[in-house]
Every structure is written in C-alpha cells, then in structure tokens.
C-alpha cells in the first residue's frame, strides 16, 4: 500500500478529541491504490447574541466575620440590581467566594532588623464574592453594568461574547471544510494521474472563537458617579472547523 500525506491549511487545534491521541490501525485499501490524507479548515462568522461577564464585591474588615458580613450585605444589593435589570435567576451563578487575611508589612528597626523577627501580622481581612452573568439582551448590557456599579459592585470584568445556538454556524464551517478537503484531494489525484475512489475516514476538531473585550474594571462607586453607561461593541464571532479526511486514490 502506497501512502501520500498532505498537511493543508492551518495547524489543528490543540484541544483535539481524544481519538486523535490514539494511533488507530491504518484502514485497509485495495492493492495498488494510494491513501491520501488531507487536513483542511472551514470557517463562518456570526454576530453574537449573548455575552457573559463577572460582577462582584470586595470588602475589608478588622475580623473575617466583619469583612464577610459587609460583603454579603453589599452583594445582596448587587444581585437584586441584576434581577431588577431583567436578568433571570438561571443566568446568575456564584463563581468565586473567598476570605483572606491582610498582613501588615514588617517594621524595620534602626539596627536593620525587623520587629517581631519579621513575622507577618494580620491586621484585617478581605472578603470577595463574584457572580458570572449571562447577558441575553446585548443592547441592555451597558445599562446593566451601570446598575451593578451603582448598587455597589466594585469588580466588573468581561464581556465574553458567544452564540446561544452555534450549531448552524458550525455546520456552515463544516461544509466549507469538507469542500476544501475534497477540492485538494481532486487536485492531488489529478496531478498524480489518479482519481478519488472514496472517502475512508473523517475526523473533526475546532470550535468557535469568541473575541473577549475587557470593557471595564471599577474599584469604587465614586469612579462612576454620574457617568454614562459604558459603551459595548459586540463585533462578530468566527467559527472554525478543522477536518482530517483520508481519501483512497485509484488508477
């Protein structure tokens, strides 16, 4: 059995399915035929219809309980603001909750040594709580972010744009990838004086690539006092599919 290999288009994504990691036995082809392996890419673009971002609160206190209590009170207002803005309960999920000590810097003495032998001393605690939010009405995102900060959120990060139903766009990319693979197979078969007899196997990898946009990070409510809602540009998403196709070429 003769084998002809071609690596075409871009390199395959690192997150290929586990089947790629296993060396499958070579498929059987007729004696005198040639195996051609083609890797091709297809893509399609869509405007996003959904986005995700995180919003949270960071507070400090002299004790862990004090920091957490203040955080809980402020975070309750933030979640209430999300509901008032029309965000459904299913689209809000706690993504991070922690309480950590705050250490004072060791005091250096005149002789160059440090007070208390340089031992760190806890002077307070910091509590952080954040939620992941799915925004289904992109036109309202700026207003929702503004409402969050007004309610007390001092950590807002995102957004990550996405499609609520990406399959149609992915199928479009799959069709393009297969057309490209077949065109290359026909080209190499003709150049070699052969013809494509059949497709032996097809493997796929890829996905859609959201374009993350860091639209804001606010540390204080004072920073957004009387400010207009932040502008958000959704742009477009690109769906990419890589296919590896094995063709059997015959004389």
């Amino acid at each position: 059995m003769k084998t002809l290999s071609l690596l075409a288009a871009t390199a395959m994504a690192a997150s290929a399915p586990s089947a790629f990691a296993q060396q499958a036995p070579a498929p059987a082809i007729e004696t005198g035929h040639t195996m051609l392996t083609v890797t091709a890419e297809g893509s399609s673009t869509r405007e996003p219809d959904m986005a995700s971002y995180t919003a949270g609160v960071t507070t400090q206190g002299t004790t862990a309980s004090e920091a957490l209590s203040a955080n809980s009170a402020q975070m309750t207002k933030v979640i209430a603001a999300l509901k008032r803005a029309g965000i459904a309960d299913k689209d809000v999920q706690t993504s991070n909750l922690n309480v950590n000590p705050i250490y004072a810097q060791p005091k250096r003495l005149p002789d160059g040594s440090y007070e208390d032998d340089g031992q760190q001393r806890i002077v307070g605690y910091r509590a952080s709580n954040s939620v992941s939010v799915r925004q289904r009405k992109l036109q309202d995102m700026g207003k929702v972010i503004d409402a969050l900060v007004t309610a007390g959120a001092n950590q807002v990060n995102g957004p990550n744009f996405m499609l609520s139903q990406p399959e149609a766009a992915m199928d479009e990319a799959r069709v393009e990838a297969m057309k490209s693979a077949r065109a290359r197979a026909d080209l190499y078969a003709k150049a070699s004086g052969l013809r494509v007899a059949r497709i032996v196997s097809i493997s796929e990898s890829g996905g859609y690539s959201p374009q993350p946009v860091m639209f804001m990070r606010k540390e204080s409510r004072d920073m957004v006092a009387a400010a207009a809602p932040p502008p958000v540009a959704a742009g477009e998403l690109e769906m990419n599919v890589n296919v590896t196709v094995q063709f059997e070429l015959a004389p």
Side-chain angles (χ1 to χ4, degrees):
M1 180 182 74
K2 296 179 290 182
T3 301
L4 174 64
S5 296
L6 167 68
L7 183 61
T10 59
M12 297 182 61
S15 57
S18 59
F20 280 74
Q22 300 176 358
Q23 294 296 327
I29 63 173
E30 291 187 27
T31 303
H33 287 194
T34 298
M35 182 77 75
L36 170 67
T37 301
V38 176
T39 300
E41 182 183 48
S43 63
S44 64
T45 58
R46 291 288 191 281
E47 290 186 3
D49 59 7
M50 192 167 68
S52 66
Y53 52 89
T54 61
V57 172
T58 297
T59 54
Q60 296 184 12
T62 55
T63 66
S65 177
E66 181 181 319
L68 189 57
S69 178
N71 189 283
S72 297
Q74 202 165 324
M75 196 64 189
T76 298
K77 296 178 181 178
V78 169
I79 294 176
L82 284 170
K83 293 183 178 181
R84 288 194 301 271
I87 305 299
D89 290 343
K90 66 179 181 180
D91 291 329
V92 180
Q93 184 179 53
T94 298
S95 58
N96 181 63
L97 175 61
N98 60 71
V99 180
N100 295 304
I102 301 172
Y103 295 96
Q105 291 296 325
K107 183 178 179 181
R108 191 164 188 173
L109 301 176
D111 62 0
S113 63
Y114 288 92
E115 190 177 51
D116 299 326
D117 295 326
Q119 295 294 320
Q120 289 186 315
R121 182 169 54 89
I122 296 176
V123 294
Y125 290 84
R126 179 180 294 108
S128 297
N129 190 354
S130 62
V131 293
S132 296
V133 182
R134 280 190 300 225
Q135 180 77 43
R136 298 182 185 273
K137 295 181 179 180
L138 296 184
Q139 67 273 19
D140 294 339
M141 184 182 296
K143 295 179 181 178
V144 175
I145 297 301
D146 187 57
L148 287 174
V149 177
T150 301
N154 53 23
Q155 299 288 329
V156 182
N157 294 280
N160 185 29
F161 292 106
M162 63 189 73
L163 294 175
S164 57
Q165 297 180 331
E167 278 306 309
M170 290 295 293
D171 286 347
E172 186 177 305
R174 291 180 178 109
V175 171
E176 182 180 317
M178 283 302 300
K179 286 181 178 179
S180 178
R182 180 58 193 247
R184 289 191 177 99
D186 288 337
L187 186 151
Y188 276 86
K190 183 178 180 180
S192 304
L194 302 171
R195 62 178 176 85
V196 176
R198 68 185 178 105
I199 292 176
V200 177
S201 68
I202 303 173
S203 298
E204 177 192 311
S205 66
Y208 72 93
S209 305
Q211 302 299 317
V213 181
M214 302 305 294
F215 62 87
M216 69 178 300
R217 176 186 172 94
K218 294 301 183 185
E219 302 293 347
S220 170
R221 294 174 59 182
D222 297 336
M223 297 176 67
V224 293
V232 178
E236 66 179 17
L237 302 176
E238 183 177 80
M239 277 57 64
N240 297 292
V241 170
N242 294 280
V243 292
T244 298
V245 187
Q246 289 186 313
F247 297 90
E248 182 176 345
L249 304 186

